[in-house]
Amino acid sequence: MDFGLNENQEMIAQMVRDFGAKEITPHRDQWDEEQHFPVDVMKKLGGLGLMGVLVPQEYGGAGFGYEEYVTAIMELAKVDPSIGLSMAAHNSLCTGHIMQFANDEQKKRWLPKLATAEWIGAWGLTEPNTGSDAGNMKTTAVQDGDYWVINGAKNWITHGISGDVAVVIVRTGKTGDSHGMTAFVVERGSEGFKGGRKENKLGMRLSETAEMIFEDCRVHKDNILGEVGQGFIQAMKVLDGGRISIAALSLGIAEGAYEAALAYSKERHQFNQPISSFQGIAFKLADMATELEGAKLLTFQAADLKNKGKSVNKESAMAKYYASEVAVRNSVEAVQIFGGYGYTKDYPVEKYYRDSKLCTIGEGTSEIQKLVISRAILKG
């Protein structure tokens, strides 16, 4: 297996680094403090093709594969993880769901606007009382002629307020029935559809997380993705691919924290020598580098399988689980290596530390990943 960067990946990596230095880094601290979601930055990423990385060119996308996608998220996460999170959620969840399960007419209707970031996408599965227990969701859709009437609320939704279009999975059958849920596309401006409370978060503060509220929201049957009753099954397949994006996000954080700690350990002197010369620091760096490489291999393996159209259920869960835990460990060790300075906002490791924890929670907690992995290996 050759996971060296190809020409497209090298081009994307440099493009993201240049864009980040100009458009994100100068404003990052202020935006983080204010929890400002920079929609204009997302629009500019669309102009670079990064909001439709996997979308075929015929629908206005870049038409790249998962290796390029992973690289783009990694590099963006090194600049700012929360921008990387928003880019990943837009691509993998909302756009990804439509790409996988929409008919051609629906694809022509929504993908060009999503791929260029003319529209920002959201994806709604989670509810206040049903995180991992999606089968017991309370948001319902009841058919009324050619329309379905949606009532309920979703929370922890990336772009829940600012999103222009959302793919929403709601209950159309019995509670607990995995074939009793359906995926609808709901456009912003639809009567009865609005954003709710915005979450005040520990990290990922540039990425908007909020409620979506539905009050007698009428959605035409043409907005159903696939068949009625297939929403949950679709969502699980979407999450298989989405977990690769969170693994990539984790890699960016882990690598950013490692690179910052490595550079600082060579610059910081104690007892008349760089702290990297002390075994206590050198061994931390060795662990960080080794775990980072392991996480990369798992992630690019999953990306390679996804590109080949093979099942990635186990592999994406492994990549997401391991890479997210490595992101947290590397961020913790980076703060430790920086010492007191790592606990301040003068250096980036403090932000990597806060942002990293979300990776072990979003799109399935580490515990859920273990459940997915264990089921796969026991069944096999």
Side-chain angles (χ1 to χ4, degrees), residues 267 272 282 306:
E267 298 165 1
N272 301 315
K306 184 69 174 174

Short mmCIF file of all heavy atoms in Angstrom, two decimals, residues 267 272 282 306:
data_model
loop_
_atom_site.label_atom_id
_atom_site.label_comp_id
_atom_site.label_asym_id
_atom_site.label_seq_id
_atom_site.Cartn_x
_atom_site.Cartn_y
_atom_site.Cartn_z
N GLU A 267 13.16 24.85 20.84
CA GLU A 267 13.40 26.27 21.10
C GLU A 267 13.52 26.58 22.59
O GLU A 267 14.29 27.46 23.00
CB GLU A 267 12.27 27.11 20.52
CG GLU A 267 12.13 27.00 19.00
CD GLU A 267 10.80 27.54 18.50
OE1 GLU A 267 10.00 28.00 19.36
OE2 GLU A 267 10.55 27.48 17.28
N ASN A 272 20.29 25.15 30.52
CA ASN A 272 21.25 25.41 29.45
C ASN A 272 21.19 24.42 28.30
O ASN A 272 22.20 24.19 27.60
CB ASN A 272 22.68 25.45 30.02
CG ASN A 272 22.85 26.53 31.07
OD1 ASN A 272 22.39 27.66 30.88
ND2 ASN A 272 23.47 26.18 32.18
N ALA A 282 11.52 13.83 25.18
CA ALA A 282 11.78 13.09 23.95
C ALA A 282 10.86 11.88 23.82
O ALA A 282 10.38 11.56 22.73
CB ALA A 282 13.25 12.65 23.89
N LYS A 306 -12.96 2.95 0.75
CA LYS A 306 -14.14 3.72 0.36
C LYS A 306 -14.06 4.09 -1.11
O LYS A 306 -15.05 4.01 -1.84
CB LYS A 306 -14.23 4.98 1.22
CG LYS A 306 -15.49 5.82 0.98
CD LYS A 306 -16.74 5.14 1.45
CE LYS A 306 -17.95 6.05 1.33
NZ LYS A 306 -19.21 5.35 1.64
#
